[in-house]
């Protein structure tokens, strides 16, 4: 199940939406980023790590969406981190007692809902704003915080391994999904995020998106360009030539999400009286 993608960096890909859980080997155990989605997959990951003699010593959620906030009891009780904004957004979503049931009903596809353990959903500790690195005993993991897709979204750069963990950006199967909730300028937020990731991309040889396939050095630039072109097309209300949202899309629900983004951005610009 676990596959090495760089020295000391392994991934496990979920059956759900090609979600990538990332394992980084450190001095006394591993850092686990976005642990996975289905209960049996996370349990299998816990088994594999136990066999390798590598306990989980820290967890990290790249952003406050349910598929990145899960945990399994067998993974243990290591501290689980996120950015301060990510943790605050997770807390906010889970504030009332009916929250988990609501998330299960509204967000999780019915065919897998019974296999997604929600008991430990979102129990993350926010790192103080401007924290530069994940606090743990292992290779330095730089936090590149931005506001694209979700509040307090973190790209993670493991410089000495040449690895960029991209969260829900730079995917080959999902186009940029903008945070259209309470944000003032979701298009700008996305373009700013891409500039930050671009600034960190020098020397990256392995790109790990939250969903989709692992990219090599040549893919880093290509995927940044592809995401930027998509966001520009969305901003300008043009038809993007993007295979991720066209007839050959990997997931048949993705073109529908694209159409809704287009529509909601049009409504926003009408409401705000701004052109395009
Ligand atoms: Zn996701």
């Amino acid at each position: 199940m676990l596959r090495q993608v760089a020295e000391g960096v392994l991934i496990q890909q979920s059956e759900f939406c090609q979600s990538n859980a990332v394992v980084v080997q450190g001095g006394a155990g591993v850092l686990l980023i976005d642990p996975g989605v289905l209960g049996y997959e996370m349990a299998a990951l816990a088994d594999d790590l136990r066999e390798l003699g590598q306990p989980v010593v820290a967890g990290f959620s790249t952003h406050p969406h349910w598929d990145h906030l899960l945990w399994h009891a067998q993974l243990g009780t290591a501290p689980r981190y996120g950015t301060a904004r990510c943790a605050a957004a997770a807390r906010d979503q889970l504030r009332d007692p009916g929250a988990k049931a609501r998330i299960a009903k509204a967000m999780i596809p019915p065919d897998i809902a019974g296999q997604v353990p929600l008991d430990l959903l979102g129990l993350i500790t926010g790192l103080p704003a401007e924290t530069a690195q994940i606090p743990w005993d292992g290779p330095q993991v730089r936090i590149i915080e931005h506001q694209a897709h979700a509040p307090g979204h973190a790209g993670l750069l493991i410089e000495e391994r040449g690895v960029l963990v991209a969260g829900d950006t730079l995917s080959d199967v999902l186009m940029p999904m903008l945070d259209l909730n309470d944000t003032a300028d979701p298009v700008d937020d996305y373009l700013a995020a891409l500039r930050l990731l671009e600034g960190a991309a020098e020397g990256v040889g392995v790109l790990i998106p939250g969903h989709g396939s692992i990219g090599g050095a040549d893919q880093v630039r290509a995927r940044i360009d592809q995401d930027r072109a998509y966001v520009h097309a969305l901003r300008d209300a043009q038809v993007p030539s993007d295979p991720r949202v066209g007839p050959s899309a990997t997931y048949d629900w993705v073109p529908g999400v694209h159409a809704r983004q287009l529509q909601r951005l049009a409504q926003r610009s009408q409401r705000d009286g701004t052109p395009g």
Side-chain angles (χ1 to χ4, degrees):
M1 292 281 249
L2 272 172
R3 176 160 77 88
Q4 174 154 323
V5 296
E7 189 197 332
V9 182
L10 303 96
I11 62 147
Q12 174 173 287
Q13 197 169 69
S14 173
E15 274 175 41
F16 171 74
C17 211
Q18 298 178 53
S19 303
N20 294 310
V22 186
V23 169
V24 186
Q25 285 172 337
V30 305
L31 164 69
L32 178 56
I33 304 162
D34 292 354
V37 177
L38 304 178
Y40 73 89
E41 291 174 338
M42 285 188 281
L45 175 58
D47 284 345
D48 287 351
L49 291 174
R50 197 168 34 247
E51 266 168 42
L52 292 169
Q54 298 273 345
V56 179
V57 294
F60 191 89
S61 287
T62 56
H63 62 287
H65 287 166
W66 70 270
D67 53 328
H68 301 263
L69 291 172
L70 294 159
W71 197 258
H72 192 286
Q74 287 178 39
L75 293 168
T77 56
R80 296 162 56 192
Y81 301 115
T83 65
R85 282 190 194 204
C86 172
R91 243 190 335 271
D92 222 43
Q93 288 168 48
L94 294 164
R95 215 172 15 203
D96 68 282
K100 284 182 188 171
R102 210 172 45 240
I103 289 168
K105 198 158 173 252
M107 325 270 280
I108 305 183
D111 57 320
I112 61 158
Q115 301 173 65
V116 180
L118 295 177
D119 341 349
L120 300 173
L121 179 75
L123 301 178
I124 58 171
T125 302
L127 295 169
E130 317 296 321
T131 300
Q133 289 163 16
I134 297 179
W136 84 300
D137 170 21
Q140 279 187 10
V141 183
R142 193 168 114 206
I143 297 170
I144 304 161
E145 182 176 347
H146 58 78
Q147 311 306 323
H149 181 68
H153 197 167
L156 299 172
L157 179 67
I158 313 168
E159 206 161 1
E160 61 192 88
R161 304 279 187 259
V163 172
L164 179 64
V165 179
D168 279 3
T169 64
L170 311 185
S171 167
D172 59 333
V173 295
L174 302 178
M175 77 299 187
M177 293 186 195
L178 276 54
D179 182 359
L180 295 166
N181 293 318
D182 295 319
T183 48
D185 199 336
V187 166
D188 252 23
D189 286 343
Y190 218 105
L191 295 174
L194 291 174
R195 281 194 298 275
L196 282 175
L197 294 171
E198 189 171 37
E202 173 104 23
V204 169
V206 179
L207 169 66
I208 307 175
H211 307 273
S213 57
I214 308 307
D218 58 319
Q219 279 288 300
V220 180
R221 160 73 36 196
R223 290 196 194 179
I224 291 170
D225 289 347
Q226 183 174 240
D227 272 7
R228 188 178 281 134
Y230 175 85
V231 176
H232 283 162
L234 208 55
R235 178 194 64 191
D236 302 338
Q238 283 168 359
V239 180
S241 64
D242 190 319
R244 298 172 296 182
V245 303
S248 60
T250 306
Y251 297 109
D252 58 3
W253 50 270
V254 168
V257 175
H258 162 62
R260 268 198 305 284
Q261 296 204 113
L262 209 52
Q263 192 184 31
R264 287 189 60 188
L265 277 175
Q267 286 163 354
R268 283 173 78 109
S269 59
Q270 241 172 24
R271 187 196 63 200
D272 303 343
T274 50

